[in-house]
Amino acid sequence: MAMKNIINHTIIFLSVYAVVASVHVTAELQRFNHFPTKADGSLDILVIGDWGRRGLYNQTHVAFQMGKVGEKIDADFIISTGDNFYEDGLADEEDSQFEESFTQVYTATSLQKQWYSVLGNHDYRGNVLAQLSPILSQKDSKWLCLRSFIVNSGIVEFFFIDTTPFQDHYFTEKKHDYDWSGVLPREEYLSNLLKEVDMALEESSATWKIVIGHHTIFSAGSHGNTQELIDQLLPILEAREVDLYINGHDHCLQHISSENSQLQFLTSGGGSKAWRGEINQWNPNEMKLYYDGQGFMTLRVTEDEIGVAFYDLFGEIIHTWSNSKHTHMDS
Ligand SMILES: *[C@@H]1O[C@H](CO)[C@@H](O)[C@H](O)[C@H]1NC(C)=O
């Protein structure tokens, strides 16, 4: 699919560089510009996670509603919070799952925009380098997956973080094999990543700062909180006044607010298999939404306002939240 937009050509070119750079654990965060094109300067984004199941488990139904909503809001781009291909990522660049779970599922015109994807733990169970390969962007130009990178939209900056290597138990469990190529030595990879993210957040002059990773920081779902991220990433996000942390991993739609900072925790992990029968036992003062079923999230950003909406499988809005920087400063 030929993209007219010069930005997309740049992205494909840069992603070639990213794969080359990813073999060095000290690689700097890749930066991309994706500026608003609407006359009012607003940005509309779809967010989906935990999806690639060859259309099964309601994946195609979610994709259909995403297409309709994407058209209504005139989506600028799409964010994937990871676990892109189940159960074990992609085997190689020729794996037909790429077409069967991505290209042939997200077919609506409104979804033929740039996708920005991170890796989830299931993606690490396959050939990680295959998902990062520019060959996939050649097969389907909307695809882009990198480990950690930044998308700058002027009013908002998005920081995508590779969260799988933070989880201790993936390095000890015997049940699954993980492809850690490019991640070892692990301590160096993690400390460099945290340093880079901290510096980039500090230097950011964007009004809104949004961090995206596959794993939860806080969640009432079956995976629950991720202690490693609470210990290592959360203090940075709080110190640098990040507005939103968006993740997948738990197969639900969820919004947890903090009582001690502006940071909101949003889970969009309802791209396919869901309905785990979770019972939400979170503090009701912080839990704004817990929905155990399939769906996705939209994000709207302007100079002074940020808003999210969660949609279910039927295209119904089940929760909204918004914040304004002016209200924030006046209060
Ligand atoms: C698909 O979605 C419907 C409506 O939410 C739900 O009743 C059904 O259980 C879902 N199917 C699967 C396999 O999750």
Side-chain angles (χ1 to χ4, degrees):
M1 193 162 314
M3 286 251 182
K4 299 164 259 159
N5 201 327
I6 188 92
I7 292 169
N8 291 305
H9 291 295
T10 313
I11 285 161
I12 290 162
F13 167 74
L14 287 173
S15 68
V16 176
Y17 169 72
V19 171
V20 174
S22 67
V23 296
H24 304 288
V25 287
T26 53
E28 253 181 67
L29 295 174
Q30 314 293 302
R31 283 182 175 273
F32 303 96
N33 289 327
H34 199 133
F35 295 117
T37 54
K38 287 173 192 148
D40 66 356
S42 64
L43 207 59
D44 292 279
I45 296 152
L46 293 159
V47 186
I48 182 144
D50 305 79
W51 41 269
R53 296 181 188 274
R54 295 188 164 89
L56 300 175
Y57 297 99
N58 285 338
Q59 188 194 354
T60 46
H61 296 287
V62 178
F64 176 74
Q65 293 299 344
M66 266 177 82
K68 288 213 320 202
V69 172
E71 188 178 333
K72 207 171 83 195
I73 66 173
D74 189 8
D76 292 279
F77 57 84
I78 294 118
I79 288 173
S80 163
T81 59
D83 275 3
N84 306 319
F85 302 100
Y86 285 96
E87 290 289 324
D88 301 313
L90 294 180
D92 54 39
E93 289 107 328
E94 302 310 318
D95 193 331
S96 62
Q97 245 231 99
F98 181 68
E99 284 82 13
E100 289 164 15
S101 289
F102 181 62
T103 307
Q104 291 164 16
V105 173
Y106 302 103
T107 52
T109 309
S110 67
L111 304 181
Q112 309 314 307
K113 307 284 170 64
Q114 186 63 56
W115 286 54
Y116 295 104
S117 307
V118 288
L119 296 165
N121 49 307
H122 282 267
D123 300 310
Y124 265 97
R125 293 184 194 170
N127 177 339
V128 162
L129 297 181
Q131 266 189 76
L132 305 176
S133 167
I135 292 173
L136 297 190
S137 309
Q138 283 159 23
K139 288 185 172 184
D140 188 332
S141 63
K142 64 182 181 287
W143 178 257
L144 178 72
C145 180
L146 296 173
R147 289 184 210 262
S148 300
F149 59 105
I150 296 172
V151 176
N152 174 24
S153 296
I155 47 174
V156 50
E157 218 166 347
F158 299 88
F159 303 81
F160 293 81
I161 299 181
D162 185 23
T163 56
T164 305
F166 282 89
Q167 285 236 342
D168 292 334
H169 76 89
Y170 298 141
F171 289 83
T172 53
E173 74 178 53
K174 298 278 176 283
K175 221 165 61 190
H176 303 287
D177 286 325
Y178 294 87
D179 175 3
W180 298 123
S181 47
V183 169
L184 305 175
R186 181 187 174 211
E187 279 66 36
E188 195 181 329
Y189 182 86
L190 295 181
S191 71
N192 284 334
L193 177 53
L194 289 169
K195 234 180 286 166
E196 301 237 351
V197 168
D198 187 38
M199 260 172 51
L201 283 168
E202 187 188 10
E203 285 165 8
S204 173
S205 56
T207 309
W208 306 100
K209 295 176 199 169
I210 298 176
V211 173
I212 294 122
H214 176 67
H215 290 81
T216 60
I217 291 181
F218 294 125
S219 173
S222 59
H223 292 296
N225 300 348
T226 304
Q227 195 57 47
E228 294 89 337
L229 295 180
I230 294 175
D231 295 340
Q232 298 168 60
L233 183 62
L234 182 59
I236 295 174
L237 307 192
E238 285 178 341
R240 301 302 177 202
E241 299 188 323
V242 168
D243 298 284
L244 309 179
Y245 179 74
I246 304 176
N247 59 273
H249 199 44
D250 270 330
H251 298 176
C252 63
L253 303 175
Q254 179 174 226
H255 173 198
I256 296 176
S257 69
S258 335
E259 288 186 319
N260 46 9
S261 80
Q262 80 293 344
L263 186 54
Q264 308 292 310
F265 303 91
L266 306 166
T267 301
S268 184
S272 60
K273 203 175 197 175
W275 298 116
R276 293 204 170 170
E278 299 302 324
I279 302 155
N280 150 35
Q281 295 182 321
W282 204 265
N283 169 3
N285 294 331
E286 290 185 348
M287 183 60 77
K288 306 300 174 194
L289 169 73
Y290 191 89
Y291 179 68
D292 198 28
Q294 285 97 351
F296 58 94
M297 194 184 101
T298 61
L299 178 63
R300 179 172 170 79
V301 192
T302 69
E303 192 65 58
D304 351 282
E305 240 185 50
I306 196 160
V308 299
F310 287 92
Y311 287 80
D312 70 9
L313 188 72
F314 305 103
E316 298 295 327
I317 295 177
I318 54 174
H319 174 65
T320 62
W321 172 87
S322 66
N323 190 19
S324 143
K325 279 276 149 121
H326 293 132
T327 313
H328 198 72
M329 286 189 300
D330 292 343
S331 62

